[in-house]
Amino acid sequence: MNSWLRLGAPVVVALIVIGLWQALVRAFDVPIYLVPAPTDVAQALARDWDLLSGSLWVTLEITGLALLAATVLGVLLAFLFVQSRVIEASLFPYAVLLQVTPIVAVAPLIIIWVKHTLVALTLCATIVAIFPIISNTVLGLRSIDPGLLDFFRLKRASRWQILWRLRLPSALPAFFGGLRIACGLALIGAVVAEFVAGTGGSQTGLAYQILQAGYQINIPRLFAALLLITLAGVVLFAAMTLLSRVVLRGWHEMR
C-alpha cells in the first residue's frame, strides 16, 4: 500500500496540474509563444522526437560520465581524508571551494583550456557533482560505533581492515544519500556547461536545443526539451534510490 501511495500520489498531483494548465491556457487564450498548452508541448515532442531524443542521449552521456568520475574521485578523496585529520584539514576546504564557486564562472575557462568538447563538459559537470559524494562519504566513514572501533584496534586490525570491514559498510547509507544528490547535480552541471559552451552541430545536448528554440520563438519545443531534462532527472534519482535499496536491503539498519 505504501509503495502504491508513493507512486500514485505524485502522478495524481501531476495530472491535476496538467489539467489546470491546459484549462487556464485555453480559457484565457494565452498565446503559444508565451505559454503553450500541454497538448502543444506533446505535439512538439512527437514532431521533433528525432532531434530531441538525440540531444537527450548527448546530455545523458555527459551526465553519466560526470557522475562516474565524481563517484570515483569523491570516494577516493573521502578514503584519503579519513586516514589523517591533517590531510582532511588541508584539502577539504578546497572541496568546499569547488562547491561554492559558480560553475557558470568556471565553465568558460575550462572550455577554453580543454579542447575536447565532451571532456570539457564532463569536467564541468563533475565539479558540480563531486562535493556531495565527498562530504557524505566522509561523514559516513567517520560515523562508526566507537566500541566497534576500539574492538578492531584491540584485535590489532590494520588501517585497511578497519576501512574495508568497519568504516565502509557503515558509510554506505550516507554514500548513497550523496549519490542521489550527485546524480541530479551532474545533470544540472551538464546542462549549464552546454549552455555556456553553446556548441552546435549534430552532437548537441538539450541545452543547445533550448537555446535554439528560444532564438526561433519555438516555445513548444523549448518546453518539450525542458520536460525531457526533468524526466531524466526523475529517472536518475529513482534509479539511484532503487540501487541503494537493493544494496542495503536486509542487512543495514538505514534502508
Side-chain angles (χ1 to χ4, degrees), residues 104-139:
V104 292
V106 179
L109 294 175
I110 294 176
I111 293 169
I112 292 173
W113 293 337
V114 181
K115 299 303 180 182
H116 195 285
T117 303
L118 179 62
V119 176
L121 297 181
T122 302
L123 182 57
C124 292
T126 301
I127 292 174
V128 176
I130 195 171
F131 184 77
I133 300 292
I134 296 175
S135 59
N136 280 41
T137 306
V138 169
L139 177 63

Side-chain angles (χ1 to χ4, degrees), residues 41 44 209-211 213-215 218-227:
V41 177
Q209 299 304 333
I210 290 174
L211 288 173
Y215 295 148
N218 191 344
I219 307 305
R221 181 191 292 178
L222 189 153
F223 271 72
L226 286 174
L227 175 63

Side-chain angles (χ1 to χ4, degrees), residues 21-34:
W21 176 6
Q22 179 77 23
L24 290 173
V25 168
R26 296 308 185 202
F28 292 97
D29 197 21
V30 179
I32 194 173
Y33 57 83
L34 290 181

Side-chain angles (χ1 to χ4, degrees), residues 24-75:
L24 290 173
V25 168
R26 296 308 185 202
F28 292 97
D29 197 21
V30 179
I32 194 173
Y33 57 83
L34 290 181
V35 180
T39 52
D40 298 324
V41 177
Q43 291 173 2
L45 186 61
R47 182 177 60 251
D48 301 326
W49 175 250
D50 291 339
L51 177 66
L52 294 176
S53 61
S55 296
L56 173 64
W57 283 116
V58 173
T59 299
L60 289 178
E61 180 184 10
I62 298 170
T63 302
L65 291 173
L67 183 60
L68 177 61
T71 301
V72 173
L73 293 175
V75 169

